Amino acid sequence: MAEPIIRMNNIEKHFGAVIALAGVTLEVYPGECHCLLGDNGAGKSTFIKTMSGVHKPTKGDILFEGKPLHFDDPRDAISAGIATVYQDLAMIPLMSVARNFFMGNEPTRKRLGLSFYDHDHANEITMREMREMGINLRGPDQAVGTLSGGERQTVAIARAVHFGAKVLILDEPTSALGVRQTSNVLSTIDKVRKQGIAVVFITHNVRHALAVGDRFTVLNRGQTLGTADRQTVTPEGLQDMMAGGQQLATLEGSLGGTV
Amino acid sequence: MSGIVQGASDERVKEISSLRKALIRPELGGMIGTVAVFTFFGLVAYDSGMFNAQGVMNWSTVSAQFMIIAVGACLLMIAGEFDLSVGSMIGFAGMGIALLATTFSLPIWLAILLTFVVCIAIGALNGFIVVRTGLPSFIVTLAFLFILRGLSIALPQFLERKTNIGGLRELAEGDWLAPVFGGKVGTGLFQWLGDQGIIAVFERGNRAGQPVVDGIPMMVVWAVVLIVFGHVLLTKTKFGNWIFACGGDAQAARYVGVPVNRVKILMFMFTAFCATVLATCQVMEFGSADAGRGLLKEFEAIIAVVIGGALLTGGYGSVLGAALGALIFGVVQQGLFFANVESSLFRVFLGVILLMAVILNTYIRRIITGER
């Protein structure tokens, strides 16, 4: 495979006396969907927040396109091309889709030497991008609050891609969604991957991960249990790795199915 | 729950009637209220002189006072914060100008500029404390409500042994900056209108022949300028989008790179600026400063903003709506006077209309965000 677009090397993160990450290594390649799995408290959130510039690693280094990188805040990560879509903090319900789409990246037009928000341009681009993603809007001024959870995730993903993300981090995009909405978001992930963007898909749902993932990394208690390719994993194997042992297997036997 | 939609239209998205669409705008309450109060006073106070040149100028000036502070309060509220220190800031700023000009013998223009610098710095301090500590702005600015009111009484007491400083009109004579706040514009036009018989002129006395309204007070000009500025900033600029974003969801805004803290602090500074503009206009017009000025103005500003359709929780609102809210205030307050009704009824009206506006806003928000 080509060079990894981002390489997180032996990342450690301590919060006071708590060791949230105890040496995690991860490589992500362009055009792949890399699933990061782990149970609650495994360190997934801490890890992606380190990747997106919210936290600074206590130890370890980050190589982005082969060069070491230091983020002082999320804006650095965004301008480098690392975009993160958070589960419920992606969009502002009271604002229109167009205003949300261009939030932080407002297009401007000069008039009389002053710079104004370019509504026409913003509305046109928003409508086009939404059509491509399969979302029908009444108009660009429709409030995001009227969209479903899956549609909001899709708008947020489309926004990140439109503004030149090379690495797209999705923090549990499907965990609060219904079946149809989930499949919608998963197909969006597939579209994005095919454009050559590296997707880091965080989830604790093995079935969602297997639906779109190319490679899988499992976190458990702040450590990686290795990265596996699509060909070599089974749902049961991933599930066991996430739970960190055999307990789940026995539980599953008694319940008669996968969790 | 619209799922996978491929066709040209989604059968689950109902068309919204254009009437309903027209209703979903923040200014709705303000527009209804404006029509209602003008209709009401048009019926009960038409003969009282409320709608002749003098009467119009009277309630316009009072409305302008509300408008000036409502613009600042509106932008700040949309950015998700309150400022309860506006009223005290008006008293403090007025007293600042008066003391600097009299006790410290500074020229008026320097007194005004220094006061603006100090007050905007206090606004920035308000904002800085709010964004740094994460405390509700309600509490932080409540503290400044008391601090500033206390100072604007204590300082003149220490320095001059009184809480009302006069004689500023004489000091402002010939000053270059004072007319920007205390003067009138369009005096030539109004003289011409008087000469043409379009507006009334004084019949006798030493002002015989002069029109009864001799110009538009700078207070009104400031109100119009601030409304236009606020409206354009909010709806037509990149910064306006940031204001909405900060109030809508500060964390989501931060994640996409909006400098939330900077926006909030700037809005606190702008609110302080508006309060100081009003204070300066008052001082220049009355020729005096009083420690008690601006009492309860912070609440009146907030009520005007709410009538204008802004949500108390931030992220939604309109400067034009807030201006209409302020207009309603001015018209009712002066209208009760023209209609010869007990003026304390104004407060009853304030409470009632506030309640109605909040209920209407909640309903409108549900329509916008699709909640039930």
Side-chain angles (χ1 to χ4, degrees):
Chain A
M1 231 183 266
E3 279 290 292
I5 182 146
I6 189 163
R7 182 180 158 83
M8 308 282 288
N9 212 356
N10 216 11
I11 300 292
E12 285 188 31
K13 178 69 192 173
H14 304 180
F15 293 106
V18 179
I19 301 171
L21 296 172
V24 179
T25 300
L26 182 85
E27 287 175 338
V28 188
Y29 294 89
E32 77 163 344
C33 175
H34 195 122
C35 295
L36 188 62
L37 295 118
D39 210 348
N40 292 342
K44 301 188 301 279
S45 294
T46 310
F47 187 69
I48 58 151
K49 280 185 176 157
T50 310
M51 199 187 252
S52 60
V54 177
H55 296 323
K56 276 183 198 167
T58 312
K59 265 187 202 157
D61 45 41
I62 305 172
L63 293 175
F64 186 73
E65 296 178 321
K67 289 184 281 276
L69 204 58
H70 300 283
F71 299 136
D72 287 321
D73 68 90
R75 297 189 77 161
D76 292 351
I78 294 167
S79 48
I82 301 175
T84 312
V85 174
Y86 292 93
Q87 188 188 335
D88 41 330
L89 292 169
M91 296 273 127
I92 297 182
L94 282 167
M95 284 166 70
S96 72
V97 177
R99 278 183 176 271
N100 262 290
F101 196 88
F102 285 92
M103 182 166 67
N105 290 294
E106 292 81 359
T108 53
R109 183 165 50 182
K110 289 264 176 205
R111 253 197 228 150
L112 305 169
L114 298 168
S115 120
F116 290 99
Y117 179 93
D118 191 345
H119 278 289
D120 297 337
H121 178 74
N123 292 348
E124 190 193 316
I125 300 277
T126 306
M127 288 307 274
R128 197 177 69 213
E129 292 284 330
M130 290 305 101
R131 258 197 310 278
E132 275 173 25
M133 285 294 182
I135 295 178
N136 277 301
L137 295 178
R138 273 193 299 271
D141 56 349
Q142 190 180 341
V144 160
T146 59
L147 300 180
S148 71
E151 287 171 332
R152 290 185 206 187
Q153 289 289 336
T154 305
V155 176
I157 293 169
R159 172 174 70 185
V161 172
H162 180 80
F163 290 107
K166 295 173 187 165
V167 178
L168 181 64
I169 303 170
L170 304 172
D171 183 18
E172 311 222 356
T174 56
S175 64
L177 302 183
V179 179
R180 260 159 64 107
Q181 293 186 28
T182 299
S183 69
N184 228 358
V185 170
L186 293 180
S187 72
T188 305
I189 293 176
D190 187 49
K191 273 182 214 161
V192 170
R193 170 180 58 187
K194 283 181 181 143
Q195 293 177 32
I197 293 166
V199 180
V200 180
F201 176 23
I202 290 93
T203 180
H204 53 238
N205 189 314
V206 171
R207 292 199 302 137
H208 296 173
L210 283 165
V212 288
D214 296 305
R215 293 194 306 144
F216 305 85
T217 298
V218 178
L219 275 183
N220 193 324
R221 301 184 66 81
Q223 289 176 311
T224 37
L225 300 169
T227 298
D229 279 346
R230 186 172 184 81
Q231 296 78 18
T232 60
V233 294
T234 58
E236 294 76 21
L238 277 180
Q239 195 95 314
D240 283 349
M241 267 164 54
M242 275 170 68
Q246 297 300 311
Q247 309 98 308
L248 205 65
T250 49
L251 183 67
E252 254 175 48
S254 66
L255 289 173
T258 47
V259 179
Chain B
M1 284 286 289
S2 62
I4 309 160
V5 181
Q6 305 293 358
S9 72
D10 182 353
E11 78 285 1
R12 310 242 339 235
V13 178
K14 270 196 262 175
E15 274 300 310
I16 292 189
S17 75
S18 50
L19 174 69
R20 203 169 149 96
K21 208 167 182 176
L23 288 182
I24 309 178
R25 44 184 311 137
E27 298 92 352
L28 175 70
M31 290 193 289
I32 294 174
T34 307
V35 172
V37 295
F38 274 106
T39 311
F40 179 78
F41 285 107
L43 292 174
V44 304
Y46 188 74
D47 302 330
S48 65
M50 185 175 171
F51 295 100
N52 66 24
Q54 254 171 317
V56 169
M57 204 45 77
N58 175 298
W59 53 255
S60 310
T61 310
V62 173
S63 300
Q65 300 189 16
F66 288 118
M67 286 172 182
I68 289 171
I69 46 172
V71 173
C74 178
L75 293 182
L76 184 64
M77 198 189 283
I78 295 172
E81 305 292 345
F82 284 107
D83 189 348
L84 296 185
S85 66
V86 168
S88 300
M89 181 76 84
I90 293 169
F92 179 79
M95 198 45 81
I97 293 169
L99 288 177
L100 288 171
T102 56
T103 314
F104 297 95
S105 310
L106 294 180
I108 290 285
W109 63 268
L110 189 58
I112 293 175
L113 289 183
L114 274 179
T115 303
F116 266 97
V117 170
V118 170
C119 289
I120 292 171
I122 293 171
L125 179 65
N126 260 331
F128 182 77
I129 296 173
V130 168
V131 299
R132 262 307 156 95
T133 59
L135 287 168
S137 49
F138 173 80
I139 290 298
V140 173
T141 58
L142 183 64
F144 275 92
L145 180 155
F146 285 100
I147 294 170
L148 293 177
R149 181 64 71 195
L151 284 178
S152 45
I153 297 169
L155 290 177
Q157 278 287 8
F158 281 138
L159 297 167
E160 298 283 326
R161 304 232 155 270
K162 54 185 178 186
T163 57
N164 189 309
I165 311 257
L168 290 159
R169 191 166 288 149
E170 295 70 39
L171 289 172
E173 210 70 53
D175 190 86
W176 63 270
L177 190 57
V180 176
F181 295 93
K184 284 185 173 167
V185 293
T187 45
L189 175 71
F190 279 87
Q191 184 64 53
W192 181 80
L193 288 173
D195 294 344
Q196 300 297 309
I198 297 170
I199 58 174
V201 293
F202 288 109
E203 300 287 330
R204 57 181 84 82
N206 55 4
R207 292 179 68 190
Q210 289 181 19
V212 289
V213 174
D214 57 356
I216 297 172
M218 282 309 289
M219 192 109 76
V220 176
V221 176
W222 271 105
V224 172
V225 168
L226 286 171
I227 290 165
V228 171
F229 172 78
H231 177 71
V232 170
L233 181 75
L234 187 63
T235 59
K236 307 253 187 287
T237 69
K238 174 181 181 147
F239 194 83
N241 211 35
W242 292 358
I243 295 176
F244 279 121
C246 288
D249 188 332
Q251 200 57 36
R254 258 184 213 112
Y255 282 144
V256 292
V258 174
V260 172
N261 291 353
R262 200 170 86 206
V263 171
K264 288 194 170 179
I265 292 174
L266 279 170
M267 286 302 101
F268 273 104
M269 291 166 73
F270 181 65
T271 308
F273 172 80
C274 291
T276 313
V277 167
L278 176 58
T280 313
C281 287
Q282 285 183 339
V283 167
M284 290 303 131
E285 189 168 320
F286 304 144
S288 70
D290 189 283
R293 242 175 235 156
L295 205 63
L296 288 180
K297 282 283 183 232
E298 57 281 336
F299 291 108
E300 290 168 356
I302 289 171
I303 297 172
V305 174
V306 171
I307 293 172
L311 294 177
L312 290 162
T313 42
Y316 189 73
S318 144
V319 172
L320 295 182
L324 288 177
L327 178 64
I328 292 171
F329 272 24
V331 170
V332 173
Q333 189 179 329
Q334 297 313 104
L336 291 175
F337 167 77
F338 278 106
N340 220 351
V341 182
E342 171 63 35
S343 62
S344 52
L345 278 178
F346 176 60
R347 304 213 173 139
V348 177
F349 163 81
L350 224 65
V352 172
I353 198 169
L354 172 65
L355 206 53
M356 279 165 39
V358 174
I359 293 169
L360 180 70
N361 288 354
T362 314
Y363 173 70
I364 290 178
R365 176 181 44 195
R366 287 201 189 129
I367 298 179
I368 300 164
T369 60
E371 293 168 37
R372 254 121 225 132

